[in-house]
Amino acid sequence: MTKQLRRKRARLAVLGSTFLAGMAAVAAMTTIMAGSATAATTLGASAAQTGRFFGTAVPASKLSDSGFTTLLDREFNQVTPENEMKIDATEPNQNQFSYGNADRIVSYARQRGMQVRGHTLAWHSQQPGWMQSLSGTALRNAMNNHITQVATHFRGQVFAWDVVNEAFADGGGGGRRDSNLQRTGNDWIEVAFRTADAADPNALLCYNDYNIDNWTDAKTQGVYRMVQDFKQRGVPIDCVGLQSHFTGGSNYPSNYRTTISSFAALGVDVHITELDIRNAPADAYRNTVRDCMAVARCKGITTWGIRDSDSWRSGESPLLFNGSGQKKAAYDAVLAELNNGVPPTTPPTTGPTTGPPTTPPTTPPTTPPTTPPTQGPGGCTATVSLNSWNGGFVATVRVTAGSSGTNAWTVTMSLPSGATVTNAWNASRSGNSGTVSFTNVSYNGRIAAGQSTEFGFQGTGAGTGMTPSCSAS
């Protein structure tokens, strides 16, 4: 059984048990209508009828607000800690971790059968001062260590992680945001996902961003190309989060469903993660939910707060309940659409209504060369670069063909005592400790003279001192 299939089955088991608990918690919140059809009377119960979630952001400070918790307990079956899992909250000082408020939210939700979304592991914003002062290898190592420690602490308690948040730039280019994390190397997002996968292999791993709701926007297409590349190369990504903060600058787009279905067609789930709409127009909320319900892989919706008074945009009254906790017309529109939903069955068999972008991705995928390289026997060399943290490492190995090119190659190296390989990509592995061999896969064995390809692997323990040797045919 492949690692990907094991991860998928394990995740389905975790999600299934959480979903059943949530269903038990909301079973009493339904009413029987004429014709023996069942319609739920609350948001979470209605979403659960089609195997989805309807959640909200929760700050720890609101858990002592009875008005807030009454609505939370009644209406929602999923929660996202608002700030309590972000980097400055969980690692205020380097290697000193603090989980108190996040643990409070997780415990509260799980006791009530609610799913918990982890938010967020790697982000350019809300970094503590010590992290802001780092750069290069030191910052990359600190990022990996943070992801490993936090994801391990909450392993088995969250159903999904926003592994990387808001890494793409606004504007017309569709490229990456310039940040201290981006300046550690263009592979930082991939490394973050692989690190999170090693730390919490049963959680869904998501990329989350704002202003990626409109299919024709360059930023949306930039994220699409990254996800497409990750899926092609086996990078562990399971879902995309559309924040959907609809404002005067980015109102609900008419092609929103195209965006959702286009991402879903890549083989990832779509979550609407931070929904709020200026002035809470019923039509915009209705259309947003309708578009999600129309796509089987759109698995749930989270509003960024419950009452307008809880919102980070409180002056715009963007949520489903007013400051007094009374339902708005938008609430009724959302509930009606959730109750009209059809249970998701299988992923869509057709692609997006418009084709994928034709411009190349910002991080090129590793694909077979378009023209055959020089054939024949020849030597090769291999070099290794290392990103390490306390207890683990990611190694990137570059294989360079000699003067005759290669048809196939094998790289062998001895791991330090106590080091173990946990996974590898762009190569087949033999062994996981001691002397380990890596051979090419189908698409990267043939390398033209003087050209290179790369593969990588992740391990536990220390990876220092490895000297790869390469042989080719």
Side-chain angles (χ1 to χ4, degrees), residues 53 55 102 129 139 151 163 184 246 259 265-266 311 326 348 354 372 423 452 471:
F53 61 83
L139 176 59
V163 177
T184 68
F246 294 138
T259 302
L266 292 178
S311 173
Q326 301 301 308
T354 58
N423 61 80
S452 301
S471 61

Side-chain angles (χ1 to χ4, degrees), residues 411-427:
V411 172
T412 303
M413 66 183 77
S414 295
L415 270 62
S417 176
T420 301
V421 177
T422 56
N423 61 80
W425 48 96
N426 296 336

Side-chain angles (χ1 to χ4, degrees), residues 341-396:
V342 178
T345 52
T346 57
T349 56
T350 58
T353 55
T354 58
T358 57
T359 54
T362 55
T363 52
T366 304
T367 55
T370 53
T371 57
T374 304
Q375 299 185 31
C380 59
T381 59
T383 58
V384 61
S385 59
L386 207 62
N387 287 307
S388 301
W389 59 94
N390 185 22
F393 62 91
V394 170
T396 300

Side-chain angles (χ1 to χ4, degrees), residues 255-315:
N255 60 14
Y256 190 58
R257 190 179 303 185
T258 298
T259 302
I260 296 172
S261 63
S262 297
F263 278 113
L266 292 178
V268 295
D269 291 341
V270 178
H271 300 164
I272 301 172
T273 57
E274 303 182 21
L275 179 64
D276 49 22
I277 308 178
R278 187 181 63 180
N279 298 324
D283 284 345
Y285 265 107
R286 178 184 297 110
N287 291 334
T288 299
V289 176
R290 181 178 295 170
D291 287 343
C292 177
M293 300 297 283
V295 180
R297 294 200 76 147
C298 187
K299 298 297 188 179
I301 299 168
T302 302
T303 57
W304 206 245
I306 297 177
R307 305 166 300 191
D308 288 335
S309 55
D310 306 318
S311 173
W312 67 301
R313 301 165 59 194
S314 58

Side-chain angles (χ1 to χ4, degrees), residues 22-23 25-31 38-50 52-55 70-77 320-321 327 331-332 334-339:
M23 284 295 289
V26 301
M29 299 180 185
T30 57
T31 181
T38 303
T41 60
T42 66
L43 302 171
S46 182
Q49 290 181 135
T50 59
R52 294 177 169 92
F53 61 83
F54 200 97
T70 296
L71 294 174
L72 173 62
D73 296 352
R74 187 185 78 200
E75 295 287 345
F76 300 94
N77 64 351
L320 300 178
F321 298 84
K327 301 171 184 176
Y331 172 97
D332 296 328
V334 167
L335 183 62
E337 286 302 321
L338 292 172
N339 279 327

